[in-house]
Amino acid sequence: MTSPAPTTEAPTTAAQPLTVGFIGLGNMGSGMTRNLQAAGFPLVVNDIRRESAEALLADGASWADTPAEVAAASDVVITMLPTPRHVDAVVNGPTGILAGIADGGTWIDMSTSVPEVANQVREATAARGLHILDAPVSGMSVGAANGMLQIFVGGDAADVARLRPVLEAMGDPERILHVGGHGAGYAVKLMINQLWFSHLVATAEVLSIGVKAGVDLGVLRESIIASPANSNFVQNDVLSILDHGDYDEGFAIALACKDLGLSIDLARSVGVPAELSGLVEQIYRRARAQYGDRAGEMTPVKLYEDLIGTELRLGPDQSSAA
Ligand code: NAD
């Protein structure tokens, strides 16, 4: 685990730095808040698991009992929550963000989600002048911990520019992309995940067939890398399994299934068939049923390993560390 990497100085309103409220201190939010803190932003935090805030509070963050109290005490409120249902509850609930945020206040949703909740909030609060951005991320919990997330931002350009220093405290400045208007960030993020999960399933399938056909795993992978069928997944991401048997528990398969479901919902809502995505979703759901909600996002590979009765592992002289 790398240490937080402050990238910017906290911007200020008059004499004081912006106070950032943060709700959702899980695998992602814990690293993101450490980096906001390291960059000098005063923090007000909340999670249903208070213990998740202990390290932040020890280093000077403030605790708020409800999302409304977070919003009332902050210039910018960030949510990093599991699903749209959680975001809805945290924003619209009786002690939710809308009950505490000042008129003209700012909410950034960094969860992997769909536009419905934010659209409904924008409509319901049109007279209050709220500034709302969707800014979901890629980069896994490691990227959250080392402040190198990729961030896909949807919303008004002026808001993106004003809030860029806050985003830069959590992400790689080169890879913080303003991808369009409201909702575009959610859509880009869902499509990236859909494609990555599809790469994972396709790679697991071909490696398993090739190995079962008697080809050495390292030779097969090197051959794919040298071919037009190469991918970033084969070249880099699959190595966590092939080298260490690490299926990335930092991103639970329950959340991966949630993302696949949202991505298919999005396809349905725009009227585009998603046949391949539907198949990948079913394979993910099978892995979740078999290995449990908390298994890592790469666990579908294990389905294939179990089928062929062999773990896909490179020998010591073949691993990326060799
Ligand atoms: P997580 O389950 O580890 O963390 C979610 C946090 O939200 C938990 O601490 C939980 O207690 C808190 N929470 C839930 N309901 C709450 C409520 N009503 N009020 C306050 N806090 C509440 O999830 P995560 O892995 O950190 O993922 C968060 C989001 O980021 C998800 O949308 C996920 O899809 C996305 N994401 C995750 C990863 C990853 O690698 N983990 C990568 C990119 C994007």
Side-chain angles (χ1 to χ4, degrees):
M1 198 67 83
T2 33
S3 56
T7 52
T8 54
E9 285 194 9
T12 59
T13 52
Q16 293 204 321
L18 284 180
T19 297
V20 177
F22 204 106
I23 303 167
L25 307 171
N27 285 325
M28 298 299 286
S30 55
M32 293 159 78
T33 43
R34 293 304 277 172
N35 286 311
L36 285 164
Q37 196 167 48
F41 291 98
L43 281 183
V44 183
V45 296
N46 170 267
D47 192 290
I48 47 175
R49 301 174 303 118
R50 185 176 171 136
E51 67 276 12
S52 63
E54 267 166 23
L56 292 163
L57 301 182
D59 286 340
S62 306
W63 174 259
D65 283 331
T66 66
E69 287 173 33
V70 172
S74 311
D75 299 303
V76 180
V77 190
I78 295 175
T79 43
M80 192 55 172
L81 296 161
T83 72
R85 181 174 59 78
H86 295 91
V87 177
D88 183 35
V90 162
V91 176
N92 291 312
T95 57
I97 289 171
L98 290 184
I101 196 167
D103 288 356
T106 298
W107 166 44
I108 310 176
D109 184 24
M110 302 190 75
S111 320
T112 304
S113 189
V114 283
E116 275 76 9
V117 179
N119 286 349
Q120 174 267 324
V121 169
R122 281 203 321 283
E123 277 168 31
T125 61
R128 296 185 59 190
L130 299 183
H131 299 266
I132 299 175
L133 294 177
D134 48 297
V137 307
S138 280
M140 303 170 143
S141 50
V142 172
N146 65 20
M148 291 302 282
L149 291 171
Q150 189 171 11
I151 307 181
F152 312 100
V153 196
D156 295 340
D159 288 334
V160 180
R162 178 173 62 89
L163 296 160
R164 181 165 264 278
V166 175
L167 300 175
E168 287 191 359
M170 298 176 278
D172 175 355
E174 303 287 312
R175 299 194 304 155
I176 297 172
L177 305 176
H178 181 204
V179 293
H182 296 289
Y186 292 131
V188 169
K189 168 61 185 170
L190 288 176
M191 292 305 96
I192 289 171
N193 275 21
Q194 181 67 57
L195 188 55
W196 193 85
F197 295 139
S198 302
H199 277 291
L200 179 140
V201 169
T203 302
E205 193 171 288
V206 300
L207 292 184
S208 301
I209 296 168
V211 165
K212 191 72 176 172
V215 183
D216 176 83
L217 176 62
V219 171
L220 176 56
R221 178 172 162 269
E222 287 304 328
S223 305
I224 294 171
I225 289 172
S227 83
N230 189 26
S231 69
N232 177 61
F233 191 86
V234 172
Q235 196 154 358
N236 298 306
D237 296 348
V238 76
L239 283 173
S240 71
I241 294 176
L242 304 194
D243 278 353
H244 322 289
D246 176 355
Y247 299 87
D248 187 21
E249 289 180 7
F251 187 49
I253 195 162
L255 287 180
C257 287
K258 176 264 306 188
D259 289 357
L260 286 160
L262 294 179
S263 153
I264 289 166
D265 288 347
L266 183 65
R268 189 179 296 116
S269 74
V270 295
V272 176
E275 290 136 340
L276 180 59
S277 302
L279 191 56
V280 171
E281 188 206 13
Q282 292 300 319
I283 292 166
Y284 261 78
R285 286 175 54 189
R286 174 179 289 277
R288 177 183 179 181
Q290 193 142 331
Y291 306 113
D293 286 357
R294 299 171 77 91
E297 62 173 328
M298 298 175 80
T299 309
V301 176
K302 214 167 164 22
L303 284 177
Y304 291 87
E305 294 176 333
D306 289 352
L307 270 171
I308 63 168
T310 306
E311 290 186 331
L312 296 170
R313 300 288 181 274
L314 295 169
D317 55 332
Q318 295 175 322
S319 86
S320 59

